[in-house]
């Protein structure tokens, strides 16, 4: 058992997930001392019993599985390629991408079976193998650790299986996306084996993990929610409740003494688009204010 009773969390040191991970923790009230001692292995959080470890994303599952860290933030794509010995505690809503198959633009593609016996370059051999097995077909998997998209141009592959987010990289390399193996985003993980350990330190740690999880849920929910205020004719109330997406029970206050108009305050659990505002105006709402929410505690 580790001596240190503080939680340890591993996140990517530098790359697509680092800034968003740090910013999420900051919104959860966790400020890490990153400036002093940049080469230190662990960075302390002063106001929560948790230390941060900055590492390459590919190493995060190993550190969590081996108990070096209790928690990790990593892309589902990285987890999918390795053994499944993790509990996903929460999907974090950033780092979205998909693992896709792509072939050269000019190539006719009628279906995945066109790739039977062909060479497919990828950094995700295990995911690709599972996909091929699911389609009951075989192909030569060319394993590359990076720059997969140039493999067809180099003549070492007929197709690629790589991560895509905007699709710009495929396009600029003359490739077209033809199928998606799976969608991915950053997730918070812990080792499955730590779930029910009897030690007191683990009991304390579980409590801290739950505290952190509640904060993460609050921040993510707040990011999707809006506080909306408006004045409206009282008879429009039921229509307004239908127009606002994911609206919880609104507070309704009479305006003036005749009760013909009311002020409505509500939390909407989904994004409010301009179309929603226009529809509210159509049913008589005015002075509409849409405000961001910092935290949601259910
Ligand atoms: O150094 P380290 O090993 O930590 O970093 P890394 O270079 O392996 O990872 P990094 O920072 O590139 O990505 C970290 C994680 O971000 C990935 O594991 C994914 O979970 C997630 N992610 C989200 C992406 C992308 N979007 C993404 N677009 N990871 C990689 N890409 C690459 C993709 O491989 C391709 O080369 O971006 C290119 C395609 O992008 P588009 O926008 O042109 O389609
Ligand atoms: Zn990596």
């Amino acid at each position: 058992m580790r001596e240190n009773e503080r939680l340890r969390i591993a996140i990517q040191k530098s790359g697509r997930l680092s800034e968003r991970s740090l910013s999420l923790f900051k919104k959860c009230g966790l400020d890490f001392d990153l400036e002093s001692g940049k080469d230190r292995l662990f960075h302390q959080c002063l106001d929560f019993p948790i230390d941060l470890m900055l590492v390459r994303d590919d190493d995060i599952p190993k550190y969590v599985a081996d108990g070096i860290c209790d928690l990790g933030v990593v892309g589902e794509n990285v987890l999918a390629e390795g053994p499944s010995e993790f509990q996903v505690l929460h999907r974090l809503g950033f780092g979205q991408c998909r693992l896709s198959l792509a072939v050269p633009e000019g190539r006719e593609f009628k279906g995945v079976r066109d790739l039977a016996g062909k060479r497919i370059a990828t950094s995700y051999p295990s995911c690709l193998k599972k996909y091929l097995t699911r389609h009951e077909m075989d192909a030569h998997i060319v394993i590359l650790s990076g720059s997969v998209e140039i493999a067809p141009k180099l003549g070492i592959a007929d197709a690629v299986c790589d991560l895509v987010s905007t699709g710009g990289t495929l396009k600029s390399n003359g490739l077209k996306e033809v199928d998606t193996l799976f969608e991915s985003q950053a997730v918070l993980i812990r080792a499955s084996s730590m779930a029910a350990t009897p030690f007191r330190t683990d009991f304390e740690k579980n409590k801290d993990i739950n505290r952190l999880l509640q904060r993460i849920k609050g921040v993510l929910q707040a990011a999707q929610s809006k506080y909306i205020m408006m004045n409206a004719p009282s008879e429009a109330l039921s229509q307004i409740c239908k127009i606002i997406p994911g609206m919880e029970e609104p507070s309704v206050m009479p305006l003036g003494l005749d009760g013909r108009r009311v002020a409505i305050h509500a939390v909407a659990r989904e994004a409010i688009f301009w179309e929603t505002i226009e529809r509210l105006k159509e049913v008589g709402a005015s002075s509409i204010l849409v405000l961001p929410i910092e935290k949601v505690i259910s």
Side-chain angles (χ1 to χ4, degrees):
M1 187 174 37
R2 225 170 54 203
E3 268 178 37
N4 190 344
E5 292 187 13
R6 292 168 66 83
L7 283 179
R8 285 176 173 180
I9 185 162
I11 70 165
Q12 191 185 26
K13 182 170 187 173
S14 147
R16 287 181 162 86
L17 304 183
S18 357
E19 237 175 74
R20 294 291 302 269
S21 306
L22 283 173
S23 138
L24 171 66
F25 293 132
K26 201 171 171 115
K27 287 181 190 152
C28 289
L30 273 52
D31 251 324
F32 293 98
D33 179 19
L34 294 175
E35 288 314 311
S36 63
K38 277 208 156 125
D39 296 329
R40 241 192 283 147
L41 199 52
F42 288 99
H43 299 269
Q44 271 209 356
C45 175
L46 299 176
D47 38 19
F48 198 95
I50 188 166
D51 296 333
L52 184 72
M53 190 182 183
L54 298 170
V55 290
R56 288 198 58 192
D57 69 340
D58 319 73
D59 297 333
I60 292 172
K62 173 115 185 84
Y63 287 131
V64 174
D66 290 353
I68 309 290
C69 291
D70 306 290
L71 301 171
V73 173
V74 70
E76 288 170 303
N77 51 300
V78 174
L79 292 183
E81 189 57 21
S84 49
E85 48 197 318
F86 303 98
Q87 224 184 316
V88 171
L89 295 179
H90 216 280
R91 302 183 94 201
L92 302 176
F94 60 86
Q96 282 95 344
C97 55
R98 54 195 184 273
L99 187 66
S100 285
L101 261 188
V103 299
E105 282 283 359
R107 186 193 167 119
E108 197 192 348
F109 184 85
K110 291 200 283 309
V112 62
R113 298 208 146 266
D114 286 5
L115 294 175
K118 298 281 192 294
R119 299 160 305 165
I120 310 175
T122 190
S123 310
Y124 292 84
S126 162
C127 294
L128 178 57
K129 180 89 194 122
K130 278 185 217 150
Y131 171 86
L132 293 173
T133 307
R134 211 167 60 236
H135 285 86
E136 296 175 343
M137 58 181 276
D138 208 2
H140 303 288
I141 300 178
V142 180
I143 304 175
L144 296 177
S145 56
S147 303
V148 169
E149 65 280 355
I150 59 170
K153 268 194 203 150
L154 294 177
I156 55 171
D158 306 291
V160 303
C161 172
D162 198 11
L163 293 180
V164 181
S165 52
T166 61
T169 304
L170 290 183
K171 205 159 182 230
S172 61
N173 284 281
L175 299 169
K176 62 177 178 191
E177 206 173 337
V178 290
D179 200 8
T180 296
L181 280 66
F182 58 79
E183 308 267 346
S184 170
Q185 62 176 275
V187 288
L188 179 73
I189 56 163
R190 72 188 292 183
S192 326
S193 54
M194 196 188 140
T197 41
F199 302 113
R200 180 176 151 69
T201 49
D202 288 333
F203 175 75
E204 295 297 328
K205 276 186 181 172
N206 275 331
K207 259 174 51 184
D208 289 333
I209 289 174
N210 283 333
R211 267 176 77 204
L212 177 62
L213 207 51
Q214 287 314 313
R215 291 191 191 188
I216 289 176
K217 284 181 187 167
V219 169
L220 295 179
Q221 226 174 60
Q224 292 166 353
S225 306
K226 292 281 177 279
Y227 193 75
I228 182 160
M229 300 188 276
M230 76 200 82
N231 296 340
S234 42
E235 66 271 15
L237 189 58
S238 64
Q239 274 172 294
I240 287 172
C241 291
K242 286 183 199 137
I243 293 170
I244 298 178
M247 183 161 99
E248 302 197 331
E249 269 189 328
S251 306
V252 181
M253 292 147 282
L255 289 171
L257 295 176
D258 59 10
R260 287 167 56 189
R261 286 184 68 76
V262 286
I264 302 167
H265 290 200
V267 171
R269 294 289 191 195
E270 293 167 38
I272 306 267
F273 296 106
W274 281 109
E275 291 73 13
T276 308
I277 309 271
E278 285 157 9
R279 289 180 60 206
L280 289 172
K281 282 189 77 81
E282 277 165 22
V283 299
S286 60
S287 305
I288 304 168
L289 286 182
V290 180
L291 308 173
I293 293 177
E294 200 179 292
K295 296 183 182 73
V296 174
I297 315 299
S298 302

